[in-house]
Amino acid sequence: GFFQSYAVEVDVKDASNATCLYAKWMMRFLITYETNSSGYKNAALNLSSNVTHDGSVCGNDTEAALLAVQFGEGHSWSVNFTKTNETYQGDFITFTYNTNDTSVFPDAKRKGPITVVVKDTMHPVQLNNVFVCHNTDSFEAENVTQIFWNVTVQAFVQNGTVGKKESRCRADTPTSAPTVPPTAANVTTASTTTLSPAPTSAPKPVENPTTGNYSLKSGNKTCLLATVGLQLNVSQVKPLLINVNPKTTTADGTCGNTTATLKLNDGNSTLIGF
């Protein structure tokens, strides 16, 4: 895959050995941390092939379901789900990374586990439906970027059988927009894959984006160079295509020994990050 990370599959059973919570997904973490030299480094934390799911909970009408995984040298990630009479949804994501893992965080100034809690962006999903999102989604909080893709999840599974009806994220829903691969974090609003009315008219064609030259320097040397034309495809009710204008776009970021980050900005907003 594009990201060197393992897929995780978790099948949580209840007391009768019936499936009550099922998930399969891929994820990766980009973390900026302070070093002993008072500088900052970027670390990429991927899932290993050895993942446990201790502490996962089925949940019920009064108790939240919890999907929890542990991996690597003291790292963990979890999301809790609550339900109403007809829907379930994710509430909070908790991610803990351990800077004592020197293979990922060499020369880290702060030692030990660090926890980041964020509000989940998953919208309500009908009970007995499976939430599916193949497109990449990401969000940032406290110097951590969490990246997810190829997500399949169902909380509060009924009768021990994972549902067959899918609720797709909006980024996966087919539209009449030009087939331009998405290059920005996609909206994760869930929408079912039942038939919906087609747009009455095709979107107005957008010209090809202008090629721009973007570069980063480390001291006097160029450490990252990108020559590329970029177009953002925003998946929503009315698809939106935006060409990135090199004349008004600036580049910043960092170069490390094993990772580099390139952010393209328009004014005070980050358009896209690599």
Side-chain angles (χ1 to χ4, degrees):
F2 180 74
F3 299 120
Q4 295 182 358
S5 187
Y6 289 87
V8 186
E9 186 172 19
V10 176
D11 189 349
V12 183
K13 307 285 188 179
D14 61 17
S16 62
N17 202 36
T19 297
C20 61
L21 174 60
Y22 175 82
K24 185 176 182 180
W25 75 103
M26 299 185 76
M27 62 182 176
R28 187 179 195 234
F29 306 93
L30 303 178
I31 304 165
T32 301
Y33 68 98
E34 188 176 6
T35 65
N36 286 314
S37 59
S38 298
Y40 286 84
K41 286 186 176 181
N42 294 317
L45 179 57
N46 299 310
L47 291 181
S48 61
S49 58
N50 185 18
V51 177
T52 60
H53 57 87
D54 298 335
S56 294
V57 177
C58 291
N60 51 45
D61 291 340
T62 58
E63 182 183 10
L66 181 68
L67 175 64
V69 295
Q70 304 81 38
F71 58 98
E73 300 295 326
H75 313 298
S76 63
W77 181 90
S78 66
V79 56
N80 73 309
F81 299 91
T82 56
K83 76 170 182 175
T84 64
N85 293 331
E86 299 180 349
T87 64
Y88 68 91
Q89 69 181 88
D91 280 343
F92 293 95
I93 288 177
T94 303
F95 170 53
T96 298
Y97 59 97
N98 185 10
T99 56
N100 286 329
D101 185 353
T102 55
S103 63
V104 180
F105 304 101
D107 196 36
K109 182 176 181 179
R110 180 179 175 182
K111 297 294 186 180
I114 300 173
T115 299
V116 177
V117 180
V118 295
K119 177 73 174 176
D120 187 17
T121 57
M122 178 181 176
H123 282 215
V125 179
Q126 287 293 121
L127 286 174
N128 212 34
N129 280 19
V130 182
F131 175 75
V132 176
C133 193
H134 294 302
N135 276 274
T136 302
D137 182 36
S138 66
F139 52 83
E140 295 183 42
E142 299 182 34
N143 296 327
V144 175
T145 301
Q146 303 187 42
I147 305 169
F148 307 90
W149 68 103
N150 289 344
V151 175
T152 300
V153 62
Q154 183 181 351
F156 306 101
V157 176
Q158 299 175 5
N159 302 319
T161 303
V162 176
K164 297 185 181 299
K165 188 175 182 181
E166 295 181 350
S167 290
R168 290 272 185 164
C169 64
R170 187 166 292 173
D172 282 3
T173 305
T175 69
S176 60
T179 55
V180 179
T183 53
N186 292 292
V187 180
T188 58
T189 304
S191 57
T192 62
T193 52
T194 52
L195 294 177
S196 56
T200 56
S201 60
K204 182 180 179 180
V206 176
E207 296 179 355
N208 290 333
T210 302
T211 299
N213 294 310
Y214 310 101
S215 62
L216 299 178
K217 287 188 177 294
S218 178
N220 294 325
K221 295 182 178 180
T222 297
C223 60
L224 191 153
L225 174 65
T227 301
V228 61
L230 292 170
Q231 184 180 84
L232 308 184
N233 181 353
V234 183
S235 299
Q236 53 186 24
V237 176
K238 183 178 181 181
L240 177 64
L241 295 178
I242 304 172
N243 285 339
V244 176
N245 184 357
K247 294 182 179 180
T248 60
T249 302
T250 59
D252 62 17
T254 56
C255 293
N257 292 329
T258 59
T259 60
T261 301
L262 173 66
K263 290 186 177 181
L264 303 182
N265 306 296
D266 184 5
N268 295 321
S269 301
T270 300
L271 290 174
I272 185 169
F274 298 94

